[in-house]
Amino acid sequence: MEVGIEKRSAIRQLWAFKNYMILLVANFISRFGDSLDAVAYGWMVYTLTGSKLLLGTLFAVNAIPNIVFGPFAGVIADRFDKKKLIIIGYMGRGIVVCTTAVLFFTGLLRPWQLFVFTIINSTFETLSSPVFMSLVPLLIPKEVYLTANSFSTSAYKFAELIGAGTAGAIIALAGISGAILIDGGTFFAAVLIILFIKLETENKRAEPLNAKVYFEELKEGLKFIWKNYLIRTSIILMAIINFCLSPINVLEPAFVKEQLNSGAEILSMLSVAVSIGMILGGLIVGQFGARFKKGTMIGFGIMFFGIDYCLLYFPGNIAPSGIYSIAIALTGYFLFGFIIPVMTSPIATSIMLNTERNMLGRVGSIMQMISMCAIPLGSAITGAVCENVSMTTIFAIVGGIIALLGIKMIFNKKFRESA
């Protein structure tokens, strides 16, 4: 790892760490492909089957490997060569995506194959995801963790914005299979870039991995999380944030249609507003976040996130449907995006700072698994509650709960000091 931090702009400091920048570029390219694929894949499934139900089912199936294999992936990330694991993950996903594109182009793709490919692709992603959290501390010093986490949020969201914005044109020019093939190509491009990362030799555990050793190391990771107040609280906060985002994710189309009296164009604008907010929020936190205590940023971020959530009660209720409601919604969504890195970047940084390097993979995978479980749980509860409660009332109630949680964290001295 390169050492020495010059007195310069916080974000510019990252340029001194070449290995980290190589990883950032590789992930940027991959995120662009993922965003492009998110549009093209949905069109492909609907074109192939004409089923809206299948779209939702595939989305649910995509989460299964993360929930089932997440803890196992953490043990692997802490044990084996991280660079090789990332390459295997990217190569596997690239092969699966390109195979899907070729089968669709030749007319040989069948609906049952979509489930198989989705599970395989998601498994590769699950097995490689914890590696990134455990790899970053090997590439940069702890003084720039917050800057790196915030800047990567902005960079990846910018890549996704480019992918979503160009997806229509790419599909028009290259077709659905061509767009998906481009996504597959981004994984192979990322592999070529990752090859240039130079890592110091890691100390490997001499004991071979078997079922007994695996469960012992997983138990070791769970004990570490349970005994560490900051890590335990941070994981719970991340799960709560994902859970509370479920009402917006589930009810967004209905919110646009019923409260804003609008269509797909406003739905797209809301997505862009969130992306722009996340890009700007990540840049600002990366540049100035080190001046503030992480615990304070997390508490105020959660509080303002809840207050912003409550703003979504106004469209169609206090403000009449139309341009004023749309303006309020766009402002609210922009603030959502802006506040997200204010909450999540300090949380991720605190976890990295307070977790032993040989434990980061397990901690990261368990956090990801718990957060992933919170999404379908929140979605299911939202679907049940919205039958009897208006969506804007749900937004107001959830927002109020989040704001109160933020206030509690602001006055939680133990959390502020440990973060």
Side-chain angles (χ1 to χ4, degrees):
M1 181 182 71
E2 299 92 335
V3 296
I5 301 178
E6 301 177 16
K7 295 293 182 180
R8 63 173 83 173
S9 164
I11 292 177
R12 287 183 60 196
Q13 290 175 359
L14 295 176
W15 292 96
F17 305 103
K18 296 179 181 178
N19 285 326
Y20 173 78
M21 294 307 299
I22 291 173
L23 179 66
L24 187 75
V25 171
N27 286 340
F28 182 94
I29 293 173
S30 172
R31 290 296 183 93
F32 164 79
D34 287 343
S35 182
L36 172 62
D37 182 78
V39 178
Y41 195 85
W43 275 109
M44 179 191 71
V45 172
Y46 194 69
T47 300
L48 183 67
T49 67
S51 172
K52 298 176 183 177
L53 176 62
L54 189 61
L55 284 169
T57 305
L58 284 171
F59 179 79
V61 168
N62 186 63
I64 292 176
N66 199 303
I67 296 172
V68 175
F69 302 124
F72 179 71
V75 174
I76 291 177
D78 287 333
R79 264 190 161 262
F80 298 104
D81 187 292
K82 295 173 177 52
K83 181 177 175 180
K84 290 181 180 178
L85 288 174
I86 292 176
I87 290 174
I88 291 171
Y90 276 149
M91 287 290 293
R93 294 179 69 189
I95 292 171
V96 171
V97 171
C98 288
T99 301
T100 303
V102 171
L103 288 176
F104 180 73
F105 179 77
T106 57
L108 299 176
L109 188 63
R110 300 293 178 264
W112 67 267
Q113 294 170 331
L114 294 174
F115 288 93
V116 175
F117 291 150
T118 296
I119 291 175
I120 295 174
N121 190 47
S122 182
T123 299
F124 276 116
E125 184 178 9
T126 297
L127 293 176
S128 59
S129 292
V131 182
F132 292 103
M133 176 177 279
S134 59
L135 179 61
V136 170
L138 301 177
L139 306 179
I140 57 176
K142 62 183 180 180
E143 290 82 5
V144 294
Y145 283 178
L146 179 62
T147 300
N149 286 326
S150 304
F151 182 66
S152 63
T153 297
S154 296
Y156 300 154
K157 183 53 64 174
F158 183 59
E160 292 171 8
L161 191 61
I162 295 175
T166 59
I170 292 175
I171 291 173
L173 292 172
I176 295 175
S177 56
I180 296 175
L181 198 63
I182 290 173
D183 175 40
T186 62
F187 290 116
F188 297 119
V191 167
L192 294 176
I193 294 170
I194 292 292
L195 290 174
F196 289 95
I197 292 180
K198 297 178 180 179
L199 291 176
E200 298 175 2
T201 303
E202 301 177 59
N203 295 323
K204 301 292 189 305
R205 301 194 181 191
E207 189 176 9
L209 183 63
N210 53 46
K212 180 181 178 181
V213 174
Y214 161 70
F215 284 108
E216 287 178 352
E217 294 186 5
L218 176 59
K219 184 178 178 181
E220 182 185 12
L222 291 170
K223 280 186 175 180
F224 176 81
I225 292 172
W226 183 253
K227 291 180 179 180
N228 190 305
Y229 171 78
L230 175 64
I231 303 296
R232 186 174 72 247
T233 305
S234 296
I235 290 176
I236 292 173
L237 287 175
M238 290 292 284
I240 291 174
I241 290 170
N242 276 343
F243 178 87
C244 291
L245 282 171
S246 296
I248 292 181
N249 293 331
V250 172
L251 301 174
E252 187 177 49
F255 173 73
V256 170
K257 184 176 181 179
E258 296 177 18
Q259 302 300 126
L260 304 182
N261 284 336
S262 301
E265 70 284 355
I266 297 300
L267 188 63
S268 176
M269 289 176 65
L270 291 177
S271 177
V272 171
V274 172
S275 298
I276 294 174
M278 288 186 69
I279 292 170
L280 293 178
L283 290 174
I284 290 175
V285 172
Q287 183 65 35
F288 304 107
R291 302 180 184 182
F292 305 95
K293 292 183 177 180
K294 289 182 286 296
T296 302
M297 289 176 61
I298 294 168
F300 275 99
I302 293 174
M303 183 186 71
F304 284 118
F305 187 79
I307 294 173
D308 183 41
Y309 216 129
C310 292
L311 283 179
L312 296 185
Y313 178 81
F314 284 65
N317 293 317
I318 297 175
S321 298
I323 187 169
Y324 294 110
S325 287
I326 292 173
I328 292 173
L330 288 172
T331 301
Y333 269 67
F334 170 81
L335 291 175
F336 273 137
F338 188 89
I339 296 170
I340 284 174
V342 176
M343 298 184 296
T344 58
S345 294
I347 290 175
T349 301
S350 296
I351 291 175
M352 291 169 63
L353 287 170
N354 291 275
T355 303
E356 299 173 13
R357 286 189 178 182
N358 64 350
M359 198 77 69
L360 269 172
R362 279 164 283 180
V363 171
S365 65
I366 292 170
M367 178 180 71
Q368 187 172 0
M369 181 192 68
I370 294 175
S371 297
M372 184 66 71
C373 289
I375 296 174
L377 178 61
S379 299
I381 293 175
T382 299
V385 172
C386 70
E387 292 296 321
N388 301 302
V389 182
S390 70
M391 70 182 83
T392 51
T393 300
I394 293 175
F395 295 158
I397 293 173
V398 173
I401 293 173
I402 297 173
L404 290 174
L405 175 63
I407 293 171
K408 183 179 185 299
M409 300 311 299
I410 291 172
F411 290 99
N412 187 330
K413 184 177 180 181
K414 183 178 180 180
F415 179 78
R416 293 200 318 272
E417 292 179 349
S418 58

PDB file of all heavy atoms in Angstrom, residues 356-367:
ATOM      1  N   GLU A 356     -11.091  -5.796  12.760  1.00  0.00           N
ATOM      2  CA  GLU A 356      -9.798  -6.347  12.395  1.00  0.00           C
ATOM      3  C   GLU A 356      -9.805  -6.736  10.921  1.00  0.00           C
ATOM      4  O   GLU A 356     -10.811  -7.206  10.403  1.00  0.00           O
ATOM      5  CB  GLU A 356      -9.492  -7.571  13.261  1.00  0.00           C
ATOM      6  CG  GLU A 356      -9.426  -7.271  14.748  1.00  0.00           C
ATOM      7  CD  GLU A 356      -9.294  -8.540  15.564  1.00  0.00           C
ATOM      8  OE1 GLU A 356      -9.003  -9.605  14.977  1.00  0.00           O
ATOM      9  OE2 GLU A 356      -9.489  -8.453  16.790  1.00  0.00           O
ATOM     10  N   ARG A 357      -8.668  -6.549  10.255  1.00  0.00           N
ATOM     11  CA  ARG A 357      -8.618  -6.802   8.818  1.00  0.00           C
ATOM     12  C   ARG A 357      -8.986  -8.232   8.456  1.00  0.00           C
ATOM     13  O   ARG A 357      -9.631  -8.476   7.433  1.00  0.00           O
ATOM     14  CB  ARG A 357      -7.210  -6.483   8.288  1.00  0.00           C
ATOM     15  CG  ARG A 357      -6.917  -4.992   8.198  1.00  0.00           C
ATOM     16  CD  ARG A 357      -5.616  -4.751   7.480  1.00  0.00           C
ATOM     17  NE  ARG A 357      -5.331  -3.318   7.346  1.00  0.00           N
ATOM     18  CZ  ARG A 357      -4.267  -2.818   6.729  1.00  0.00           C
ATOM     19  NH1 ARG A 357      -3.385  -3.651   6.184  1.00  0.00           N
ATOM     20  NH2 ARG A 357      -4.085  -1.520   6.663  1.00  0.00           N
ATOM     21  N   ASN A 358      -8.583  -9.189   9.296  1.00  0.00           N
ATOM     22  CA  ASN A 358      -8.885 -10.578   8.989  1.00  0.00           C
ATOM     23  C   ASN A 358     -10.332 -10.951   9.317  1.00  0.00           C
ATOM     24  O   ASN A 358     -10.716 -12.111   9.224  1.00  0.00           O
ATOM     25  CB  ASN A 358      -7.925 -11.507   9.728  1.00  0.00           C
ATOM     26  CG  ASN A 358      -8.087 -11.421  11.242  1.00  0.00           C
ATOM     27  OD1 ASN A 358      -8.773 -10.539  11.754  1.00  0.00           O
ATOM     28  ND2 ASN A 358      -7.447 -12.327  11.956  1.00  0.00           N
ATOM     29  N   MET A 359     -11.135  -9.939   9.697  1.00  0.00           N
ATOM     30  CA  MET A 359     -12.540 -10.169  10.048  1.00  0.00           C
ATOM     31  C   MET A 359     -13.477  -9.370   9.136  1.00  0.00           C
ATOM     32  O   MET A 359     -14.687  -9.558   9.167  1.00  0.00           O
ATOM     33  CB  MET A 359     -12.768  -9.759  11.503  1.00  0.00           C
ATOM     34  CG  MET A 359     -14.010 -10.297  12.148  1.00  0.00           C
ATOM     35  SD  MET A 359     -13.897 -12.011  12.624  1.00  0.00           S
ATOM     36  CE  MET A 359     -12.705 -11.865  13.967  1.00  0.00           C
ATOM     37  N   LEU A 360     -12.924  -8.502   8.298  1.00  0.00           N
ATOM     38  CA  LEU A 360     -13.750  -7.581   7.509  1.00  0.00           C
ATOM     39  C   LEU A 360     -14.675  -8.308   6.536  1.00  0.00           C
ATOM     40  O   LEU A 360     -15.807  -7.875   6.311  1.00  0.00           O
ATOM     41  CB  LEU A 360     -12.859  -6.600   6.739  1.00  0.00           C
ATOM     42  CG  LEU A 360     -12.542  -5.284   7.452  1.00  0.00           C
ATOM     43  CD1 LEU A 360     -11.496  -4.501   6.673  1.00  0.00           C
ATOM     44  CD2 LEU A 360     -13.799  -4.450   7.642  1.00  0.00           C
ATOM     45  N   GLY A 361     -14.205  -9.384   5.934  1.00  0.00           N
ATOM     46  CA  GLY A 361     -15.040 -10.112   4.988  1.00  0.00           C
ATOM     47  C   GLY A 361     -16.286 -10.665   5.656  1.00  0.00           C
ATOM     48  O   GLY A 361     -17.393 -10.538   5.132  1.00  0.00           O
ATOM     49  N   ARG A 362     -16.114 -11.274   6.838  1.00  0.00           N
ATOM     50  CA  ARG A 362     -17.258 -11.836   7.551  1.00  0.00           C
ATOM     51  C   ARG A 362     -18.212 -10.748   8.027  1.00  0.00           C
ATOM     52  O   ARG A 362     -19.429 -10.879   7.905  1.00  0.00           O
ATOM     53  CB  ARG A 362     -16.759 -12.685   8.731  1.00  0.00           C
ATOM     54  CG  ARG A 362     -16.309 -14.086   8.337  1.00  0.00           C
ATOM     55  CD  ARG A 362     -15.492 -14.744   9.417  1.00  0.00           C
ATOM     56  NE  ARG A 362     -14.132 -14.213   9.444  1.00  0.00           N
ATOM     57  CZ  ARG A 362     -13.192 -14.618  10.291  1.00  0.00           C
ATOM     58  NH1 ARG A 362     -13.476 -15.550  11.184  1.00  0.00           N
ATOM     59  NH2 ARG A 362     -11.977 -14.112  10.243  1.00  0.00           N
ATOM     60  N   VAL A 363     -17.657  -9.674   8.571  1.00  0.00           N
ATOM     61  CA  VAL A 363     -18.506  -8.577   9.039  1.00  0.00           C
ATOM     62  C   VAL A 363     -19.283  -7.975   7.874  1.00  0.00           C
ATOM     63  O   VAL A 363     -20.492  -7.726   7.968  1.00  0.00           O
ATOM     64  CB  VAL A 363     -17.659  -7.500   9.742  1.00  0.00           C
ATOM     65  CG1 VAL A 363     -18.495  -6.255  10.032  1.00  0.00           C
ATOM     66  CG2 VAL A 363     -17.072  -8.042  11.038  1.00  0.00           C
ATOM     67  N   GLY A 364     -18.591  -7.739   6.755  1.00  0.00           N
ATOM     68  CA  GLY A 364     -19.246  -7.154   5.585  1.00  0.00           C
ATOM     69  C   GLY A 364     -20.325  -8.048   5.010  1.00  0.00           C
ATOM     70  O   GLY A 364     -21.402  -7.575   4.624  1.00  0.00           O
ATOM     71  N   SER A 365     -20.077  -9.357   4.953  1.00  0.00           N
ATOM     72  CA  SER A 365     -21.061 -10.279   4.380  1.00  0.00           C
ATOM     73  C   SER A 365     -22.287 -10.409   5.276  1.00  0.00           C
ATOM     74  O   SER A 365     -23.419 -10.487   4.784  1.00  0.00           O
ATOM     75  CB  SER A 365     -20.432 -11.652   4.153  1.00  0.00           C
ATOM     76  OG  SER A 365     -20.069 -12.261   5.385  1.00  0.00           O
ATOM     77  N   ILE A 366     -22.075 -10.426   6.587  1.00  0.00           N
ATOM     78  CA  ILE A 366     -23.204 -10.525   7.515  1.00  0.00           C
ATOM     79  C   ILE A 366     -24.046  -9.248   7.454  1.00  0.00           C
ATOM     80  O   ILE A 366     -25.280  -9.302   7.465  1.00  0.00           O
ATOM     81  CB  ILE A 366     -22.700 -10.792   8.948  1.00  0.00           C
ATOM     82  CG1 ILE A 366     -22.092 -12.200   9.028  1.00  0.00           C
ATOM     83  CG2 ILE A 366     -23.843 -10.664   9.959  1.00  0.00           C
ATOM     84  CD1 ILE A 366     -21.358 -12.490  10.311  1.00  0.00           C
ATOM     85  N   MET A 367     -23.370  -8.095   7.383  1.00  0.00           N
ATOM     86  CA  MET A 367     -24.094  -6.833   7.255  1.00  0.00           C
ATOM     87  C   MET A 367     -24.913  -6.814   5.972  1.00  0.00           C
ATOM     88  O   MET A 367     -26.083  -6.413   5.975  1.00  0.00           O
ATOM     89  CB  MET A 367     -23.113  -5.652   7.265  1.00  0.00           C
ATOM     90  CG  MET A 367     -23.786  -4.298   7.090  1.00  0.00           C
ATOM     91  SD  MET A 367     -22.599  -2.919   7.109  1.00  0.00           S
ATOM     92  CE  MET A 367     -21.771  -3.182   5.538  1.00  0.00           C
TER      93      MET A 367
END
